[in-house]
């Protein structure tokens, strides 16, 4: 009966979603706090740049040498011996590079006194040219009077003397490479233990190591080729100090967007002092061809999507890390920026949307490839459309068809 019926219970309200719940956290305050923390971290790195730069360089060298150890371990070489071979390989490369830099500095110091009078005369000629276009003669006289080509020699000798202070840097690099190579032997097992709990973190670390290794190895190989070609070209053109400028070209190949302009200035100056404008034009043209061929055609195809940074971010990273960590920061700008991206973006499951803004075009390239493949499949499956006039002519006349009873 109706008096025995129970009143129906109201339906439970749906739980509010995360977007519907009003947030009590001020995102602007979090953003400002994050920027403040970033500024403090940057100033802290700049304060300890003499330690941070060689430590990170040792990290990059250890990452690049790790395949040597893994390849030996696959051939059943004991882990200790494989690690020792990797350490010796890195240290041998450092010693060879340091010797080349020392030779280049000594040649540069002996080269400058020979061209000091010509450099002084060139500076005075530049002052006269500036005076002809209307720049004040008093300012030009002050600049020329303060310039002394002999002071350049003293600066260079000061740099050579300062190489003795590089002993501390070498000790830091040697010690960190030794310790990091030992720890790298245990790292795969550590990552396997962490992966069930932090899979995204482990994937990001492996991806970072693979991308940095690919970028540095390819850039080193192409930099060696670029330096050798420039050295050979400068020898043919008769530019003094060809070995120095070839080594400078190799070092500057690690500085994207800016390194080319740094490497070409000294050959232009000394080429102009010895061969005049024809040599200057030849240096500009040949350097441009080599740089365009290596850094604009070969390197992007080989490196692929290992960097995945836009040109503007790459250029800014060079300037930023050069200010924070000095010349080493400019050379390692790409690995440093990739490390920051790994810590802030790749390891955060809520931040993959920002990767295309940083220059990662993997998703767009994949979408274009899938669309092209779908279009090709559709075009192959559709039969060719016949001409309407031909179709009407071939269609049988339905009025002439016999009636069926």
């Amino acid at each position: 009966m109706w008096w025995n019926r129970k009143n129906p219970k109201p339906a439970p309200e749906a739980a509010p979603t995360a977007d519907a719940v009003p947030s009590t956290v001020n995102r602007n305050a979090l953003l400002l706090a994050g920027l403040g923390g970033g500024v403090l971290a940057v100033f802290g790195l700049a304060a300890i740049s003499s330690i941070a730069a060689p430590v990170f360089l040792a990290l990059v060298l250890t990452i690049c040498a790790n395949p040597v150890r893994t390849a030996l371990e696959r051939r059943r070489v004991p882990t200790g011996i494989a690690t020792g071979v990797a350490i010796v390989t890195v240290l041998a490369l450092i010693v060879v590079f340091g010797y080349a830099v020392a030779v280049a500095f000594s040649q540069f110091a002996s080269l400058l006194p020979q061209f000091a009078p010509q450099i002084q005369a060139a500076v005075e000629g530049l002052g006269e040219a500036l005076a002809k276009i209307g720049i004040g003669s008093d300012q030009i006289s002050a600049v020329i009077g303060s310039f002394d080509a002999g002071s350049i020699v003293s600066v260079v000798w000061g740099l050579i003397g300062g190489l003795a202070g590089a002993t501390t840097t070498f000790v830091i690099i040697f010690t960190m490479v030794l310790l990091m190579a030992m720890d790298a032997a245990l790292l795969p097992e550590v990552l396997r233990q962490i992966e069930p709990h932090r899979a995204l973190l482990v994937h990001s670390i492996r991806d970072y190591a693979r991308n940095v290794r690919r970028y540095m190895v390819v850039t080193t190989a192409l930099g060696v080729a670029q330096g050798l070609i420039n050295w050979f070209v400068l020898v043919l053109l008769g530019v003094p100090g060809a070995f120095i400028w070839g080594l400078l070209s190799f070092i500057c190949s690690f500085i994207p967007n800016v390194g080319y302009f740094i490497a070409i200035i000294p050959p232009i100056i000394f080429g102009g002092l010895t061969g005049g404008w024809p040599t200057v034009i030849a240096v500009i043209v040949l350097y441009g061809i080599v740089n365009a061929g290596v850094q604009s055609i070969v390197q992007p195809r080989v490196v692929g999507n290992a960097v995945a940074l836009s040109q503007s971010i790459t250029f800014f990273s060079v300037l930023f890390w050069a200010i924070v960590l000095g010349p080493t920061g400019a050379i390692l700008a790409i690995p440093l920026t990739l490390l920051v991206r790994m810590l802030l973006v790749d390891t955060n499951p809520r931040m993959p949307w920002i990767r295309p803004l940083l220059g990662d075009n993997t998703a767009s390239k994949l979408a274009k490839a899938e669309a092209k493949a779908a279009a090709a499949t559709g075009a192959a499956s559709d039969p060719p459309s016949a001409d309407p006039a031909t179709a009407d002519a071939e269609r049988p006349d339905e009025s002439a068809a016999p009636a069926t009873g």
Side-chain angles (χ1 to χ4, degrees), residues 90 151 182 214 361 389 396:
V90 173
S151 61
M182 294 179 180
R214 186 175 184 180
N361 299 322

Side-chain angles (χ1 to χ4, degrees), residues 33 44 59 68 78 101 121 160 206 215-216 223 229 234 299 322 369 402-403:
L59 174 62
V68 175
V101 171
I160 295 175
R206 290 172 177 168
Y215 170 77
M216 293 299 295
I229 294 174
L234 295 177
Q299 187 174 13

Side-chain angles (χ1 to χ4, degrees), residues 71-134:
L72 292 176
E73 288 180 346
R74 291 194 191 100
R75 290 173 171 79
R76 301 184 183 278
V77 176
T79 303
I81 298 177
T83 303
V85 171
I87 294 173
V88 171
T89 302
V90 173
L91 295 181
L93 293 176
I94 295 175
V95 170
V96 171
F97 178 73
Y99 176 76
V101 171
V103 171
F105 266 115
S106 62
Q107 292 184 3
F108 188 49
S110 62
L111 183 67
L112 273 181
Q114 304 175 13
F115 290 90
Q118 300 182 24
I119 294 175
Q120 187 72 33
V123 172
E124 294 177 356
L126 178 62
E128 295 176 358
L130 293 176
K132 291 180 181 179
I133 62 176

Side-chain angles (χ1 to χ4, degrees), residues 23 44 116 183 240 254-255 330 404:
S23 177
D183 293 337
F254 292 92
I255 308 176
T404 57

